[in-house]
Amino acid sequence: MTHETSPPQRPLPLAGLRVVEFTHMVMGPTCGMVLADLGAEVIKVEPVQGDRTRHLLGVGAGFFPMFNRNKQSIALDIQSEEGAEAARRLAASADVVAENFRPGAMARYGLDYASLSTRNPKLIYVSHKGFLPGPYALRTALDEVVQMMGGLAYMTGRPGDPLRAGTSVNDIMGGMFGAIGALAALIQRGITGRGQEVQSALFENNVFLVGQHMLQYAITGQPSAPMPDRVSAWALYDVFTARDGEQIFLAAVSDAQWNTFCDAFGFGDLRADPALATNNARVRARPTLLPDLRARLAEYDAAELARRFEAAGLPYAPITKPEALYDDPHLRATGGLADIRLPDGDKAGQTVGTALFPLLMDGARLGVRSDPPTLGAHTVQLLGKLGYTDQEIEDMQARGTIR
């Protein structure tokens, strides 16, 4: 499917790079999606039954179509020797192999870095795991597991009520770090001529996310409080309820912004109060200042608050649900969304909007060049390019080792 949202016809940064991914869920597919969006040929190896995320319900319903655009699909039974050999031949043709299965799983099929690099010393192998090698390496990890054990759920929830973040932050960022490692390894390969293994992990990603709170404790000696109970660095930096019942986030993060805020609303008494003259003084006054601000700002409806903050150049934000982003005027005007055709489920074949990779290159967004693939859509074509004959492919299909 050709998309009108595709970038201008110019070489993409990773054009000519072949990536073979043995991935499922979110972490590994995110790595492949990043490389695919940047122009690499990404081949997704799926079991003959398909990646299980194709048919998840609830919060998992968006996993496959979100993270598997711009890819090809080949369906192989790698638990059979015939399927595993096809996978090894495919991997031998790759510049990058990515996987996110349990430690040791790929070695059983000769698809680990040690095995594949003997056939292709230039191979870059990106391994996504729950934990980097160490005492926890064999634990089963999920995004929620590492958020709980890595301090993020503690920081997100109210005291005594740990709460995971509202999206798959470690899976997505872990895949992104895997892609960053692959790009760095590609540059180094250009110098040394040799590949290497790159490892990314959920737990270490989560620790990186909360590292600022660790350093806060190291510097101040005070543990960082959960976000709902934190000591804010600014007095005006909170969610407020407007007259019409809508909620809106409002902020003023400098003395100049505080003065601008007071002027915008005619709060001359607050601007002139010497006890509120500096940011740190206002932070210390928050127990009394914040209730006063809530009462004053509750006299305005949310639209008027937004209008005044916009006119004054002050930070503000409506509290938006994810589904409302389809109608966001900025995303629509800037091409931040693109259409894809759904490959599976009751709505297979229907077109929906998806979020694009969040950057510009040479002034253009990285678009959708091909829809998330149907299961095995490219199996025959890819096996043919690997040297399999039509008869061999038909026999493999009959035996159920490919689809």
Side-chain angles (χ1 to χ4, degrees):
M1 179 178 179
T2 301
H3 290 265
E4 297 298 326
T5 55
S6 296
Q9 295 302 312
R10 57 186 172 84
L12 289 169
L14 299 185
L17 189 80
R18 171 170 278 197
V19 178
V20 174
E21 64 168 66
F22 300 86
T23 68
H24 63 143
M25 298 299 282
V26 174
M27 191 185 191
T30 297
C31 176
M33 184 202 73
V34 171
L35 301 176
D37 281 8
L38 288 167
E41 176 196 23
V42 178
I43 300 165
K44 182 180 182 69
V45 180
E46 301 187 59
V48 291
Q49 300 84 8
D51 185 328
R52 286 179 295 174
T53 59
R54 285 181 177 274
H55 303 290
L56 287 179
L57 302 177
V59 296
F63 286 178
F64 191 89
M66 176 68 198
F67 301 109
N68 290 285
R69 61 177 179 241
N70 292 333
K71 299 179 184 179
Q72 302 174 54
S73 169
I74 181 171
L76 304 173
D77 177 12
I78 66 170
Q79 296 186 40
S80 70
E81 177 51 35
E82 188 174 54
E85 173 55 23
R88 290 191 290 267
R89 287 169 65 172
L90 181 62
S93 73
D95 296 284
V96 178
V97 167
E99 63 87 18
N100 68 321
F101 286 90
R102 287 179 60 84
M106 302 301 285
R108 290 200 296 269
Y109 310 109
L111 292 166
D112 57 317
Y113 176 67
S115 300
L116 293 177
S117 61
T118 60
R119 296 177 69 170
N120 179 9
K122 297 179 71 173
L123 179 68
I124 293 161
Y125 192 95
V126 188
S127 180
H128 301 85
K129 295 290 184 275
F131 306 89
L132 292 180
Y136 297 162
L138 297 181
R139 284 192 187 183
T140 300
L142 300 168
D143 203 318
E144 198 144 343
V145 168
V146 300
Q147 287 193 42
M148 295 293 172
M149 67 184 293
L152 184 57
Y154 172 83
M155 288 303 301
T156 303
R158 298 180 181 86
D161 184 23
L163 182 68
R164 67 156 287 162
T167 189
S168 304
V169 289
N170 291 297
D171 279 312
I172 294 170
M173 288 190 64
M176 291 174 63
F177 281 124
I180 291 170
L183 295 174
L186 284 166
I187 293 173
Q188 191 167 48
R189 187 179 76 174
I191 300 169
T192 67
R194 296 191 62 83
Q196 62 180 283
E197 184 173 12
V198 173
Q199 295 176 291
S200 174
L202 293 174
F203 178 63
E204 282 75 9
N205 181 86
N206 188 95
V207 172
F208 185 79
L209 287 175
V210 301
Q212 66 196 73
H213 303 306
M214 297 167 64
L215 280 169
Q216 175 189 335
Y217 175 74
I219 292 167
T220 68
Q222 298 297 317
S224 189
M227 292 297 283
D229 201 41
R230 72 194 186 282
V231 177
S232 175
W234 304 282
L236 179 59
Y237 193 84
D238 223 311
V239 175
F240 293 83
T241 300
R243 183 177 63 201
D244 54 12
E246 287 190 49
Q247 291 183 305
I248 186 169
F249 173 80
L250 306 172
V253 295
S254 68
D255 293 339
Q257 286 190 1
W258 170 257
N259 291 334
T260 299
F261 162 73
C262 291
D263 292 343
F265 288 87
F267 298 159
D269 58 325
L270 298 181
R271 197 186 201 284
D273 189 341
L276 304 175
T278 67
N279 178 73
N280 287 351
R282 291 190 296 275
V283 170
R284 285 189 285 270
R286 267 178 67 95
T288 55
L289 176 59
L290 201 55
D292 182 25
L293 290 175
R294 291 195 186 283
R296 294 181 188 223
L297 295 173
E299 297 179 6
Y300 301 86
D301 60 36
E304 177 62 15
L305 289 171
R307 187 192 68 77
R308 294 199 186 197
F309 268 69
E310 179 81 23
L314 294 171
Y316 76 97
I319 311 304
T320 303
K321 295 179 180 179
E323 60 269 23
L325 294 173
Y326 280 119
D327 297 316
D328 183 274
H330 179 82
L331 292 175
R332 295 177 69 88
T334 59
L337 304 174
D339 287 341
I340 57 167
R341 184 190 299 123
L342 295 175
D344 304 292
D346 294 340
K347 294 187 176 181
Q350 294 187 26
T351 297
V352 298
T354 192
L356 290 181
F357 198 55
L359 54 76
L360 288 174
M361 296 199 71
D362 199 20
R365 295 298 289 261
L366 299 168
V368 175
R369 304 187 310 282
S370 61
D371 296 301
T374 56
L375 174 61
H378 306 90
T379 299
V380 173
Q381 172 190 353
L382 289 168
L383 289 178
K385 290 182 178 180
L386 291 174
Y388 286 86
T389 67
D390 291 345
Q391 186 60 56
E392 287 174 322
I393 293 171
E394 288 180 14
D395 291 344
M396 293 169 75
Q397 287 175 326
R399 288 189 288 271
T401 54
I402 66 170
R403 177 169 173 178

